[in-house]
Amino acid sequence: EALRRVPAVGEPDVLRAAQLQPGVLARNDYTAGYNVRGGEADQNLILLDGIPVYNPFHLAGLFGTFIDAAVGEVNLLTGGFPAPYGGRLSSVLDVTPAAEARSGVHGTAGVSVLASSLALGGAFNDGRTSWNVAGRRTYADKIVPAFSDQTLPYHFQDAQLHLRHMAKNGGTLTLTGYAGGDYLNGSFADFGGDSTRSGAGEFGFDWGNQLVGLAWRQPFVNEPRIDFGSGKVISLGDSAVLVQRASFTRFGTSLDLGNGSFSLDNRIREFRVAGSLSGFHASHARTLGYEVAQYFADYGAKSTQTGIQALAIRQRPSAGALYYEDLWKVNERVIVRAGLRGEYVPAAKRWWGISPRASVKYFATKDLAFTLAGGQYAQWVHALRNEDVPVQFFDFWLGSDKNLPVSVGRQLVAGTERWFGDARFVRVEAYGKTYSALAEQNPADDPLVEGDEFRPLKGTSYGVDVLLRQLETARALGGWVAYSYGSSRREQTQDTPGSVREFAPAQDRRHNLNAVASWRPGTGKYTFGARLGFGTGTPYTTIVGQIVRRFPDANGQGWDRGASGDNREPVGGARNGARYPPFSRLDLSVSRRFETRRVRWEPYLQLVNAYNARNVFTYVWDYTGNPPTRTGYSQFPILPSVGVTASW
């Protein structure tokens, strides 16, 4: 509910709201993706009801894939996450689908300048069985041709399903499914291109996610016991819970230029089986769990018209994990959570690792607590991306193998939390992280050589996060202030023995501040929202010169004049040696609630970048003049949007 009050672009967005938490960085306006505490974007584990989602973004990362009305709860772990979570180095974003408990049919319909959505749900069988379905589609591809002679052959769509059944013995069976995609298909002639080139000018560019998962949760009471045939009876505790999961998730992207003149294709599929057994005593909660996953990754570049296969990577790696964790209430002041996670990746030269994780929370008083947490984390599925590029249209995913090592991260977090009453608190956390064998896209990759797509990096990150939080109530002021200070460095080994190049990654922002507020005055019919963001500049590689490439004249009359822009090659300075100017943005929103007998209507108005700040997105250099010029291109201008939701 708190996230829904945050001003957004078009409609509420879980991933956009996650960017406003301490330790979380959005590099620019054009991405719903994020970096957590100096880590890379592919180091974030994003789950929908426990099922991994590889690329949960639309329109080059501008919007998230989660339909707002279908989201029930969001948990964001920015560091020190426990042993049950694995496969990523930086964070966990766990999204729980909404589950309708009321009988009959209830729903929410929304219309905005971006998209229309509909979510329905209900319960039957005396409330023991519930269902939820939701769908969303953008319509720019339908509206633009109706008002102009131009076309915009792009749209995205989402569909989500969640079923839950509670058995008479207390067990719960849930089924979750999602399918979404982006579709950009048309002709270059629609954009003023030459339709005689590239296979009559046809192109196609699609990407999307599909997933489905089944989970069974069975509680036990009355001191359940296990006898393994040895005559020894082991008590699980005063109660226990058995959880079993099976899931399939897929992400795919394809680019086709000119009906097969040139095409890129990437598919990653994951079959996962996981389970856990937890026992609960008065002072202990013990969990023993496992995960087994089989991956299918394919990455290719080819031309069907010429029959040339430029690149073909086919991977079938697997991974397994066992973990044990104990949440122990030592006394009224101390809580300890300790765990051990063992992981094995056969394809990566039979890599295996033991990852210890632990945290301690000490209550000095009932309102003041101190925490210390740390652990080791491993990642064996990587996105083939260049973090220096400000917008990622899609990711290519590959698994660790003999050429691509498993990445390992270690982190330590220390913090304190102080509550002031029941609705206000402040939390301060300091962290330090180290990385080894990070996978970075190799710009010197030879398409004809397998195994040089990545180059390994080492790195460090450290910083401090501060959160001041006022919990929302029905008719009061609520919100938060999130401030982060962070520093990140990366090390790349050079060809010269013993030589190392150090640089700041593109997500290295020293200071980041987000202040979010919502207010429901009087009867609570009006809701006002505001978000003020400020951040110091992120690094980029400046252009320090230009080489003009000259070619022999076809008539044998010397050389051409190098006048074509295709013949000019920019020369970059030190990698990420410069920084963009500071960023600032104010977003505002207001909504009004109208209630009838059956339906609650809520029209809203939102204003993104209310004072039209000219935040630099990127620079373009022109060395054809004397002196050379640099032109800056801005991020979002002032951007109003309207919409309405109806709930029943």
Side-chain angles (χ1 to χ4, degrees):
E1 180 62 25
L3 302 185
R4 292 189 176 107
R5 301 187 189 185
V6 178
V9 181
E11 57 185 24
D13 192 323
V14 168
L15 298 177
R16 286 279 180 180
Q19 295 176 348
L20 307 181
Q21 306 306 308
V24 183
L25 169 68
R27 289 176 50 195
N28 54 66
D29 288 342
Y30 297 115
T31 177
Y34 54 90
N35 300 80
V36 175
R37 290 181 170 175
E40 274 63 34
D42 69 337
Q43 295 174 4
N44 305 313
L45 177 62
I46 299 177
L47 303 170
L48 177 61
D49 201 23
I51 308 169
V53 187
Y54 276 86
N55 194 47
F57 308 109
H58 289 302
L59 192 57
L62 188 58
F63 303 102
T65 58
F66 300 112
I67 305 172
D68 173 67
V71 174
E73 183 178 314
V74 180
N75 286 301
L76 175 65
L77 308 177
T78 55
F81 45 93
Y85 297 105
R88 299 294 189 275
L89 302 184
S90 287
S91 75
V92 178
L93 180 71
D94 195 353
V95 178
T96 302
E100 181 58 68
R102 299 172 293 176
S103 60
V105 178
H106 303 271
T108 299
V111 178
S112 70
V113 295
L114 169 69
S116 294
S117 62
L118 176 64
L120 299 173
F124 57 94
N125 193 20
D126 296 328
R128 291 192 295 114
T129 304
S130 67
W131 60 275
N132 291 80
V133 294
R136 175 176 60 171
R137 191 192 192 278
T138 59
Y139 33 67
D141 58 327
K142 306 296 184 182
I143 293 179
V144 171
F147 292 93
S148 72
D149 57 356
Q150 300 295 317
T151 62
L152 182 60
Y154 168 81
H155 76 279
F156 68 76
Q157 59 192 36
D158 304 283
Q160 185 173 316
L161 166 71
H162 184 66
L163 302 176
R164 184 183 66 178
H165 175 70
M166 292 182 288
K168 293 183 179 180
N169 63 357
T172 303
L173 181 66
T174 59
L175 173 67
T176 301
Y178 169 85
D182 292 64
Y183 306 94
L184 177 61
N185 301 280
S187 170
F188 291 110
D190 297 334
F191 300 93
D194 183 359
S195 62
T196 65
R197 301 177 60 189
S198 298
E202 300 294 329
F203 67 87
F205 189 15
D206 306 327
W207 66 96
N209 296 274
Q210 298 85 40
L211 61 87
V212 62
L214 192 66
W216 174 258
R217 185 179 187 274
Q218 180 63 58
F220 301 95
V221 293
N222 300 324
E223 297 188 10
R225 299 170 181 270
I226 297 179
D227 186 348
F228 291 102
S230 62
K232 181 181 293 186
V233 177
I234 301 175
S235 174
L236 299 179
D238 303 322
S239 63
V241 173
L242 176 68
V243 178
Q244 291 293 315
R245 296 179 179 271
S247 65
F248 166 76
T249 184
R250 173 187 181 274
F251 171 72
T253 183
S254 62
L255 172 64
D256 185 354
L257 300 177
N259 293 335
S261 294
F262 178 74
S263 63
L264 290 171
D265 186 79
N266 178 233
R267 298 285 186 274
I268 184 164
R269 292 162 291 163
E270 176 187 327
F271 293 88
R272 177 183 294 262
V273 178
S276 65
L277 178 62
S278 301
F280 304 95
H281 293 271
S283 60
H284 281 276
R286 299 183 177 94
T287 299
L288 178 66
Y290 75 95
E291 292 178 3
V292 178
Q294 177 68 54
Y295 303 90
F296 298 82
D298 297 281
Y299 178 28
K302 64 181 180 180
S303 172
T304 56
Q305 292 185 358
T306 63
I308 297 176
Q309 181 81 42
L311 179 66
I313 298 177
R314 186 174 183 268
Q315 296 181 323
R316 301 295 182 262
S318 60
L322 290 173
Y323 62 87
Y324 174 78
E325 184 176 71
D326 190 350
L327 180 62
W328 180 26
K329 184 179 180 181
V330 180
N331 53 44
E332 294 299 322
R333 291 182 178 270
V334 180
I335 297 176
V336 177
R337 186 172 191 168
L340 202 63
R341 185 180 179 93
E343 295 160 322
Y344 178 56
V345 186
K349 299 179 180 180
R350 297 187 177 183
W351 180 92
W352 64 275
I354 302 296
S355 299
R357 303 176 189 179
S359 64
V360 179
K361 190 166 189 175
Y362 169 72
F363 289 87
T365 69
K366 67 181 183 66
D367 296 322
L368 175 63
F370 298 91
T371 58
L372 182 66
Q376 179 171 291
Y377 306 86
Q379 180 168 340
W380 52 85
V381 181
H382 315 269
L384 184 62
R385 57 164 51 221
N386 184 350
E387 288 281 354
D388 293 345
V389 177
V391 173
Q392 301 287 343
F393 282 91
F394 54 87
D395 290 332
F396 284 125
W397 290 87
L398 292 175
S400 291
D401 57 17
K402 62 182 180 180
N403 301 311
L404 179 58
V406 175
S407 301
V408 176
R410 299 174 180 86
Q411 56 183 271
L412 182 66
V413 184
T416 181
E417 184 174 314
R418 174 72 162 89
W419 282 79
F420 304 89
D422 296 331
R424 186 178 303 152
F425 69 88
V426 58
R427 184 171 68 235
V428 180
E429 289 186 347
Y431 65 88
K433 303 167 65 175
T434 63
Y435 315 88
S436 61
L438 293 181
E440 182 187 54
Q441 185 177 4
N442 182 7
D445 169 33
D446 185 345
L448 300 178
V449 177
E450 180 182 348
D452 65 345
E453 293 80 19
F454 292 92
R455 58 186 180 188
L457 301 178
K458 295 181 179 180
T460 59
S461 300
Y462 64 88
V464 177
D465 296 331
V466 181
L467 176 65
L468 288 78
R469 182 81 162 88
Q470 172 67 47
L471 302 183
E472 288 77 9
T473 58
R475 300 182 183 91
L477 178 67
W480 64 87
V481 177
Y483 167 76
S484 298
Y485 169 82
S487 177
S488 296
R489 305 296 293 177
R490 297 291 182 267
E491 294 181 2
Q492 174 193 339
T493 302
Q494 301 292 85
D495 295 334
T496 304
S499 176
V500 175
R501 181 175 68 172
E502 186 175 293
F503 63 94
Q507 65 269 24
D508 179 44
R509 174 168 281 166
R510 288 288 185 269
H511 303 277
N512 195 43
L513 174 70
N514 282 291
V516 179
S518 65
W519 182 43
R520 285 181 173 173
T523 61
K525 293 183 177 180
Y526 283 93
T527 300
F528 299 91
R531 174 254 179 170
L532 176 64
F534 172 81
T536 52
T538 53
Y540 73 96
T541 301
T542 189
I543 303 300
V544 297
Q546 179 178 277
I547 297 174
V548 177
R549 297 293 186 183
R550 300 188 180 276
F551 301 91
D553 191 302
N555 297 320
Q557 303 297 320
W559 302 83
D560 72 354
R561 298 178 60 85
S564 171
D566 295 337
N567 297 338
R568 295 196 299 269
E569 178 181 324
V571 178
R575 180 174 179 180
N576 291 340
R579 289 187 178 262
Y580 289 114
F583 166 94
S584 68
R585 200 180 88 193
L586 174 66
D587 303 336
L588 302 172
S589 67
V590 59
S591 63
R592 170 68 159 87
R593 189 177 65 208
F594 299 90
E595 295 195 24
T596 63
R597 182 180 176 183
R598 296 180 179 274
V599 181
R600 184 177 75 177
W601 299 87
E602 194 163 355
Y604 58 85
L605 169 65
Q606 302 189 114
L607 193 62
V608 173
N609 196 8
Y611 53 79
N612 199 27
R614 306 290 291 178
N615 298 303
V616 175
F617 173 64
T618 189
Y619 290 119
V620 174
W621 286 262
D622 184 0
Y623 278 85
T624 59
N626 190 13
T629 59
R630 185 185 72 177
T631 303
Y633 290 87
S634 299
Q635 302 181 42
F636 281 165
I638 184 170
L639 191 62
S641 63
V642 296
V644 61
T645 60
S647 305
W648 63 94

